[in-house]
Amino acid sequence: MAQTALKSAPETVVEAPAAVPAQPFLELRGVSKSYGSGANATSVLKDIDLAITEGEFVAIVGFSGSGKTTLISLIAGLIAPDGGEVRFKGRPVRAPGPERGVVFQSYSLMPWMTVRQNVALAVDRIFADRPASERKSRVERYIDMVNLGSALDKRPAELSGGMRQRVSVARALAGDPEMLLLDEPLSALDALTRANLQDEIIEIWNQEKKTVVLITNDVDEAIIMADRIIPLNPGPGATLGPQFRVDLPRPRDRREMNHDPEFKRIRKEVTQYLMQIGQAQQSQGAQVIALPSVLPNTSREYEVGLKAYAAAAPERPAADNSRYVDFSKVSKIYPTRSGPVTVVEEFELKIRRGEFISIIGHSGCGKSTVLSMMAGLNEISEGVIVLDGREVAAAGPDRGIVFQAPSLVPWLSAFENVALGVEQVFPHASKQERRDIVAHFLDRVGLADAMHKKAADLSNGMKQRVGIARAFALSPKLLLLDEPFGMLDSLTRWDLQEVLMDVWARTQLTAIVVTHDVDEAILLADRVVMMTNGPRAKVGKILEIDLPRPRTRKQLLEHPDYYRLREQLLGFLQECDHTH
């Protein structure tokens, strides 16, 4: 029997064990998070599933209010999910831990402490059992890693925004985390500082073999830095969109990538997906109130149309529309203890009526100084500026201005803040027409549901929208915009760029925008003025943007000349950086 059984048994085949899938380094399973309770509950995140492998660099691209910071806070263990689970190396995340270092958009530094002391706060807590000499060495190592060795004993108030963010990165790294969580750490920085910090973070990622999750609203930043890009669709009940793999060789050169078909493909696909999200959101919004056909009292057309004006003064000569705005050898000189410093030197520029000009250059090159002199807010040291045949001598409502930080009256509503200017330039309009002008532009910037909220109760992004609406509503001769969209997420920025182009096309408004965003400069402008580095900054080059209008971001990405123009701007900025 034993022999029979042996013969009838099938031949034994030894197989290799099935490959066991690697356990995700970080995993989110069906994670949901709401704020409030009962009827007042607001769903922020819903059914988030995410798996990240060890050593991976993942960028999550999200818009304002989509739950990005909530997502990072859940991963960091700063808040708990209402449903689902966050797991780190197979274990549930219940609380914050040193293995997950976090860098938020705000620096969160102790203002009375030096750079060394701010970084030592984390090191002394996490490595309390190590000798003092070892802790000191660790602090200095990571400060050197972010190129702040010369600022060890400086306090945050003595540092630039980029340097303060470097301190935050050094502090997070000094705790030796296994994962680095970056919540829009570079969004408030100028283009050059942002690019340099991107490169430093990538270098640190390569050296330290960290796993990184980056939250950003900048598609180019995500492509430069990440292995994968995952959109976070806007809420309520935000969900993750499809992932986009970034299979581009490293290191990634910003200028050279303009020639890479794969870079162009990824950039186009991610951008188009985000634009589709934006269009879907906007289609759910309220109808925009029609704009009344009424001229502001600052316009030449309004002046010419007034009989009293014609009788009281001789007819003004027709303006030279090819030199509607004329900067003639304009300089700005500041006195200092060591002698006068020329910030801007002999700035020369002629702008046609109805032309859109972008001014681009590195931080500190004098872009904003030029704009503030044009606005009449900063005295011209030498030279002259002429607008519509009249010399600029002081500020006036014929120039609408939007700065990086909006100046609103905090106890007035958004509507009342815009109405202040509208009443000044449309006193001849009916009350209803003035109300419609205010409502139209607040609708256009997405504040239809918040126009009667006090400015003090609005977010920074919403305040900036009020400032932009106010400038548009004045129908000025010249619109001056100083990094107006720098504080806003991509979706809002793209939407407001569309608003700006729509207003420009409808009114043939003359506009000057100062920006650090190469794509924004190309999208908006007829010409891009590139400024050399300061001091003694001047016009370096002027690039004609001979692209058809009306323009859309989608058309821009598909136009054969777009990447050529983009490379010229990036090349100029890189050359300025090297000669600084």
Side-chain angles (χ1 to χ4, degrees), residues 205-344:
W205 172 68
N206 283 329
Q207 290 177 11
E208 300 282 301
K209 307 302 179 187
K210 304 293 183 189
T211 306
V212 179
V213 178
L214 168 70
I215 298 288
T216 182
N217 60 43
D218 187 322
V219 172
D220 287 324
E221 181 167 271
I223 296 174
I224 283 283
M225 302 184 79
D227 301 314
R228 262 193 303 160
I229 299 172
I230 306 173
L232 183 62
N233 300 332
T239 58
L240 291 178
Q243 69 174 17
F244 298 86
R245 288 230 164 253
V246 186
D247 293 322
L248 296 173
R250 295 179 185 274
R252 297 168 184 167
D253 184 273
R254 291 170 181 80
R255 191 172 178 180
E256 290 301 318
M257 284 200 307
N258 284 282
H259 300 286
D260 192 324
E262 181 65 7
F263 165 69
K264 295 178 183 179
R265 181 192 66 80
I266 296 168
R267 193 168 187 264
K268 180 179 177 181
E269 288 183 1
V270 175
T271 302
Q272 287 186 344
Y273 179 81
L274 295 173
M275 287 170 63
Q276 288 169 6
I277 292 173
Q279 289 165 2
Q281 257 199 334
Q282 290 165 18
S283 66
Q284 300 170 10
Q287 292 293 317
V288 176
I289 294 171
L291 190 64
S293 299
V294 56
L295 292 170
N297 61 9
T298 53
S299 67
R300 178 184 286 261
E301 293 82 358
Y302 177 82
E303 290 179 345
V304 170
L306 288 178
K307 293 180 180 179
Y309 177 88
E315 185 176 346
R316 288 171 57 195
D320 181 355
N321 285 336
S322 67
R323 302 175 66 167
Y324 186 69
V325 180
D326 189 347
F327 291 86
S328 180
K329 294 187 176 181
V330 173
S331 298
K332 182 61 189 179
I333 303 167
Y334 289 104
T336 69
R337 290 181 179 178
S338 55
V341 173
T342 302
V343 178
V344 176

Side-chain angles (χ1 to χ4, degrees), residues 426-443:
F426 293 101
H428 51 287
S430 70
K431 184 176 181 180
Q432 187 58 50
E433 284 174 330
R434 291 197 296 269
R435 291 184 62 84
D436 286 349
I437 290 169
V438 175
H440 171 86
F441 286 103
L442 286 171
D443 277 349

Side-chain angles (χ1 to χ4, degrees), residues 489-563:
D489 65 85
S490 295
L491 178 58
T492 306
R493 188 162 64 242
W494 295 348
D495 182 38
L496 289 179
Q497 287 166 356
E498 295 283 346
V499 171
L500 180 55
M501 287 190 289
D502 177 61
V503 173
W504 177 85
R506 184 181 58 79
T507 63
Q508 290 301 294
L509 197 65
T510 308
I512 304 174
V513 61
V514 163
T515 180
H516 66 261
D517 187 324
V518 167
D519 298 295
E520 182 171 271
I522 296 172
L523 176 67
L524 297 175
D526 297 305
R527 288 185 293 160
V528 179
V529 176
M530 295 171 264
M531 289 188 67
T532 61
N533 284 359
R536 298 188 179 277
K538 59 181 64 179
V539 175
K541 293 180 182 178
I542 298 179
L543 182 64
E544 294 279 347
I545 308 298
D546 189 19
L547 299 176
R549 291 186 185 272
R551 293 176 194 159
T552 66
R553 191 166 295 275
K554 181 179 179 182
Q555 290 169 340
L556 205 66
L557 292 171
E558 295 173 348
H559 197 282
D561 291 337
Y562 164 62
Y563 281 99

Side-chain angles (χ1 to χ4, degrees), residues 36-51:
S37 59
N40 297 320
T42 300
S43 174
V44 178
L45 300 174
K46 184 178 180 182
D47 296 331
I48 299 292
D49 291 315
L50 177 64

